[in-house]
Amino acid sequence: MISLRGVNKTFARRGGAPLQVLRDIDLDVRQGEVLAILGASGCGKSTLLNLIAGLAHPDSGSIRIAGQDTAAFTDWRSVGYLFQDDRLLPWRTTLENVSFGLEAARLPRAERLARAHRALESVGLKDFTEAYPHELSGGMRARAALARSLVNQPRILLLDEPFSKLDPAMRAQMHAELLAVQAEQGITVVFVTHDVEEAVVLADQLVILQPRPGRVRERVALDLPRPRLPEQAEVAERVRQLRVRV
Ligand SMILES: Nc1ncnc2c1ncn2[C@@H]1O[C@H](COP(=O)(O)OP(=O)(O)OP(=O)(O)O)[C@@H](O)[C@H]1O
Ligand SMILES: [Mg+2]
């Protein structure tokens, strides 16, 4: 579903040498698979998601979605992206923010609102549909952004540290919610996290990037049975093994 080959990305810097952020990245994510990306701050994780989302282009190498180069790909509505900063529009209510993505889909207003209501209910925000973003807590904003990324029923979902602002109980609840929707709709997911436990619970495949320039240091297949819970011995053991390697 997503395939990267030999991807390089360098940014120009004012008054300094160009900064190579990604070097020679090869990645493959099959349809319905969940890939976790881990790595130190600044190693290029968000840049990698931006490239997959077609918001930036590699200097060399290729990025394909469903076999099509991102430069030629047009079905961007099927790709959901939850940005690292939530990018909620401050002048829209939570409900309007979530239904925003559906406007481009030219759905009738009543259908848009019904879907947005359902999405907000699934992330525990049904009592805050009329609140503006500044009236939400950090964790609530994160959940609103998650609802917005899911409401379009994307085939591919890119998530940049989607759960980092949630408390442990809410995080576990959102993990279960995401996995349920993901399995039901066969969504291909790429998500960035700093949390090894989260990666082990959610992902089929884990990639650890190494900084400056960002390169793939390690790939780990996570073939543990599902559902996975942090307290299961196998899960806890994998987390323990991986923590020392990240
Ligand atoms: N548009 C840009 N122009 C110039 N430099 C950029 C741009 N975007 C990112 N960078 C640089 O690329 C490097 C990687 O940034 P990126 O945001 O991809 O890191 P990250 O792995 O997501 O980090 P974090 O875990 O802190 O979110 C950083 O050094 C950053 O300064
Ligand atoms: Mg980032």
Side-chain angles (χ1 to χ4, degrees):
M1 194 61 154
I2 303 173
S3 164
L4 281 73
R5 285 289 172 276
V7 167
N8 288 292
K9 182 70 182 173
T10 297
F11 288 114
R13 269 195 301 188
R14 263 184 305 280
L19 180 71
Q20 181 163 29
V21 177
L22 295 172
R23 180 180 290 173
D24 214 14
I25 306 284
D26 292 336
L27 276 182
D28 285 289
V29 196
R30 282 192 295 273
Q31 189 188 343
E33 198 173 52
V34 180
L35 168 71
I37 300 176
L38 282 98
S41 180
C43 74
K45 302 179 297 297
S46 298
T47 303
L48 190 61
L49 289 192
N50 286 338
L51 292 175
I52 297 171
L55 299 177
H57 295 285
D59 302 327
S60 60
S62 77
I63 304 181
R64 289 172 174 273
I65 296 182
Q68 234 182 344
D69 199 280
T70 48
F73 187 76
T74 51
D75 188 20
W76 289 110
R77 214 183 295 149
S78 69
V79 181
Y81 191 176
L82 191 165
F83 296 99
Q84 188 166 5
D85 50 339
D86 57 52
R87 300 199 194 176
L88 295 174
L89 302 172
W91 59 88
R92 284 179 168 243
T93 65
T94 306
L95 185 70
E96 289 164 348
N97 264 289
V98 172
S99 67
F100 180 62
L102 297 168
E103 288 169 21
R106 298 212 176 86
L107 285 175
R109 183 180 150 81
E111 170 70 17
R112 284 202 312 266
L113 294 182
R115 278 210 213 174
H117 269 293
R118 276 201 301 277
L120 282 165
E121 191 167 350
S122 73
V123 298
L125 286 179
K126 76 170 164 43
D127 294 334
F128 292 88
T129 55
E130 298 311 314
Y132 286 89
H134 77 272
E135 297 170 318
L136 301 178
S137 73
M140 290 160 104
R141 290 179 66 118
R143 284 182 279 146
L146 180 65
R148 188 181 52 184
S149 72
L150 286 170
V151 77
N152 255 325
Q153 301 182 330
R155 289 162 63 215
I156 292 178
L157 191 52
L158 309 173
L159 305 168
D160 201 344
E161 301 190 29
F163 310 114
S164 58
K165 294 192 182 73
L166 304 182
D167 65 68
M170 185 54 80
R171 191 176 306 161
Q173 205 176 316
M174 291 301 108
H175 288 169
E177 181 64 33
L178 174 69
L179 286 178
V181 177
Q182 186 269 334
E184 182 188 299
Q185 300 176 16
I187 308 174
T188 307
V189 178
V190 179
F191 77 102
V192 170
T193 184
H194 290 285
D195 181 344
V196 174
E197 184 178 280
E198 176 166 282
V200 173
V201 167
L202 296 179
D204 299 301
Q205 209 196 137
L206 186 159
V207 161
I208 303 170
L209 295 184
Q210 158 180 340
R212 303 232 165 182
R215 281 156 293 171
V216 175
R217 190 177 78 204
E218 201 163 343
R219 297 165 197 275
V220 181
L222 293 165
D223 44 13
L224 300 167
R226 293 176 186 274
R228 302 172 189 161
L229 295 168
E231 51 273 22
Q232 290 165 342
E234 282 178 290
V235 172
E237 175 59 20
R238 273 325 258 290
V239 171
R240 204 183 52 75
Q241 290 166 358
L242 283 166
R243 275 221 172 106
V244 294
R245 278 143 69 182
V246 173

